[in-house]
PDB file of all heavy atoms in Angstrom:
ATOM      1  N   THR A  64       9.229  16.953  14.297  1.00 98.00           N
ATOM      2  CA  THR A  64      10.291  16.758  13.239  1.00 98.00           C
ATOM      3  C   THR A  64      11.431  15.938  14.023  1.00 98.00           C
ATOM      4  O   THR A  64      11.851  16.264  15.081  1.00 98.00           O
ATOM      5  CB  THR A  64      10.857  18.230  12.990  1.00 98.00           C
ATOM      6  OG1 THR A  64       9.837  18.979  12.413  1.00 98.00           O
ATOM      7  CG2 THR A  64      12.006  18.180  11.855  1.00 98.00           C
ATOM      8  N   VAL A  79       2.779  14.385  12.180  1.00 97.00           N
ATOM      9  CA  VAL A  79       1.942  14.900  13.139  1.00 97.00           C
ATOM     10  C   VAL A  79       1.844  13.819  14.231  1.00 97.00           C
ATOM     11  O   VAL A  79       1.784  12.711  13.984  1.00 97.00           O
ATOM     12  CB  VAL A  79       0.496  15.285  12.496  1.00 97.00           C
ATOM     13  CG1 VAL A  79      -0.505  15.655  13.688  1.00 97.00           C
ATOM     14  CG2 VAL A  79       0.655  16.268  11.541  1.00 97.00           C
ATOM     15  N   SER A  94       3.487   8.189  14.317  1.00 96.00           N
ATOM     16  CA  SER A  94       3.746   7.083  13.435  1.00 96.00           C
ATOM     17  C   SER A  94       4.574   7.650  12.304  1.00 96.00           C
ATOM     18  O   SER A  94       4.564   8.768  11.973  1.00 96.00           O
ATOM     19  CB  SER A  94       2.504   6.527  12.840  1.00 96.00           C
ATOM     20  OG  SER A  94       1.624   5.947  13.832  1.00 96.00           O
ATOM     21  N   GLY A  98      10.063   2.835   4.333  1.00 74.00           N
ATOM     22  CA  GLY A  98       9.927   2.023   3.175  1.00 74.00           C
ATOM     23  C   GLY A  98       8.460   1.715   3.015  1.00 74.00           C
ATOM     24  O   GLY A  98       7.685   2.697   2.913  1.00 74.00           O
ATOM     25  N   ASN A 103       5.038   2.775  14.861  1.00 96.00           N
ATOM     26  CA  ASN A 103       4.492   3.584  15.974  1.00 96.00           C
ATOM     27  C   ASN A 103       5.455   3.908  17.010  1.00 96.00           C
ATOM     28  O   ASN A 103       6.110   2.959  17.546  1.00 96.00           O
ATOM     29  CB  ASN A 103       3.143   2.928  16.498  1.00 96.00           C
ATOM     30  CG  ASN A 103       2.149   2.723  15.500  1.00 96.00           C
ATOM     31  OD1 ASN A 103       1.847   3.657  14.703  1.00 96.00           O
ATOM     32  ND2 ASN A 103       1.545   1.557  15.432  1.00 96.00           N
ATOM     33  N   THR A 110      13.265  15.542  32.229  1.00 96.00           N
ATOM     34  CA  THR A 110      14.449  16.420  32.231  1.00 96.00           C
ATOM     35  C   THR A 110      15.701  15.542  32.338  1.00 96.00           C
ATOM     36  O   THR A 110      16.753  15.987  31.961  1.00 96.00           O
ATOM     37  CB  THR A 110      14.501  17.350  33.429  1.00 96.00           C
ATOM     38  OG1 THR A 110      14.329  16.698  34.616  1.00 96.00           O
ATOM     39  CG2 THR A 110      13.412  18.390  33.245  1.00 96.00           C
ATOM     40  N   PHE A 127      17.603   6.628  26.786  1.00 96.00           N
ATOM     41  CA  PHE A 127      18.758   7.543  26.800  1.00 96.00           C
ATOM     42  C   PHE A 127      18.851   8.232  28.138  1.00 96.00           C
ATOM     43  O   PHE A 127      18.058   9.166  28.513  1.00 96.00           O
ATOM     44  CB  PHE A 127      18.559   8.700  25.587  1.00 96.00           C
ATOM     45  CG  PHE A 127      18.461   7.969  24.267  1.00 96.00           C
ATOM     46  CD1 PHE A 127      17.234   7.841  23.684  1.00 96.00           C
ATOM     47  CD2 PHE A 127      19.562   7.646  23.634  1.00 96.00           C
ATOM     48  CE1 PHE A 127      17.159   7.271  22.369  1.00 96.00           C
ATOM     49  CE2 PHE A 127      19.553   7.202  22.305  1.00 96.00           C
ATOM     50  CZ  PHE A 127      18.312   6.954  21.655  1.00 96.00           C
ATOM     51  N   MET A 141      13.151  -9.253   9.517  1.00 77.00           N
ATOM     52  CA  MET A 141      14.037 -10.304   9.291  1.00 77.00           C
ATOM     53  C   MET A 141      15.326 -10.293  10.191  1.00 77.00           C
ATOM     54  O   MET A 141      16.265 -11.104   9.996  1.00 77.00           O
ATOM     55  CB  MET A 141      14.463 -10.395   7.811  1.00 77.00           C
ATOM     56  CG  MET A 141      13.263 -10.646   6.880  1.00 77.00           C
ATOM     57  SD  MET A 141      13.456 -10.705   5.167  1.00 77.00           S
ATOM     58  CE  MET A 141      15.049 -10.247   4.784  1.00 77.00           C
ATOM     59  N   GLU A 143      17.089  -9.265  14.132  1.00 85.00           N
ATOM     60  CA  GLU A 143      17.007  -8.953  15.527  1.00 85.00           C
ATOM     61  C   GLU A 143      18.467  -8.912  16.156  1.00 85.00           C
ATOM     62  O   GLU A 143      19.269  -9.718  15.960  1.00 85.00           O
ATOM     63  CB  GLU A 143      16.213  -9.940  16.476  1.00 85.00           C
ATOM     64  CG  GLU A 143      16.029  -9.503  17.850  1.00 85.00           C
ATOM     65  CD  GLU A 143      15.075 -10.449  18.609  1.00 85.00           C
ATOM     66  OE1 GLU A 143      14.279 -11.131  18.038  1.00 85.00           O
ATOM     67  OE2 GLU A 143      15.116 -10.342  19.929  1.00 85.00           O
ATOM     68  N   PHE A 146      22.189  -4.238  21.480  1.00 90.00           N
ATOM     69  CA  PHE A 146      23.335  -3.318  21.657  1.00 90.00           C
ATOM     70  C   PHE A 146      23.461  -2.795  23.075  1.00 90.00           C
ATOM     71  O   PHE A 146      22.453  -2.744  23.682  1.00 90.00           O
ATOM     72  CB  PHE A 146      23.068  -2.111  20.746  1.00 90.00           C
ATOM     73  CG  PHE A 146      23.063  -2.288  19.265  1.00 90.00           C
ATOM     74  CD1 PHE A 146      21.867  -2.491  18.595  1.00 90.00           C
ATOM     75  CD2 PHE A 146      24.220  -2.409  18.595  1.00 90.00           C
ATOM     76  CE1 PHE A 146      21.985  -2.733  17.188  1.00 90.00           C
ATOM     77  CE2 PHE A 146      24.271  -2.605  17.242  1.00 90.00           C
ATOM     78  CZ  PHE A 146      23.066  -2.786  16.535  1.00 90.00           C
ATOM     79  N   LEU A 148      23.808   0.540  24.963  1.00 94.00           N
ATOM     80  CA  LEU A 148      23.510   2.029  24.524  1.00 94.00           C
ATOM     81  C   LEU A 148      24.181   2.860  25.581  1.00 94.00           C
ATOM     82  O   LEU A 148      23.936   2.727  26.798  1.00 94.00           O
ATOM     83  CB  LEU A 148      22.060   2.248  24.479  1.00 94.00           C
ATOM     84  CG  LEU A 148      21.623   3.657  24.301  1.00 94.00           C
ATOM     85  CD1 LEU A 148      22.049   4.239  23.044  1.00 94.00           C
ATOM     86  CD2 LEU A 148      20.079   3.706  24.516  1.00 94.00           C
ATOM     87  N   ARG A 167      23.016  12.534  21.980  1.00 97.00           N
ATOM     88  CA  ARG A 167      24.178  11.991  21.230  1.00 97.00           C
ATOM     89  C   ARG A 167      24.514  10.744  21.991  1.00 97.00           C
ATOM     90  O   ARG A 167      24.668  10.689  23.211  1.00 97.00           O
ATOM     91  CB  ARG A 167      25.296  12.929  21.306  1.00 97.00           C
ATOM     92  CG  ARG A 167      26.455  12.633  20.306  1.00 97.00           C
ATOM     93  CD  ARG A 167      27.492  13.670  20.263  1.00 97.00           C
ATOM     94  NE  ARG A 167      28.153  13.873  21.532  1.00 97.00           N
ATOM     95  CZ  ARG A 167      29.197  13.191  22.081  1.00 97.00           C
ATOM     96  NH1 ARG A 167      29.659  12.180  21.388  1.00 97.00           N
ATOM     97  NH2 ARG A 167      29.690  13.581  23.234  1.00 97.00           N
TER      98      ARG A 167
END
Side-chain angles (χ1 to χ4, degrees):
T64 304
V79 174
S94 297
N103 298 312
T110 56
F127 298 100
M141 299 178 354
E143 183 173 342
F146 294 97
L148 170 65
R167 189 174 62 84

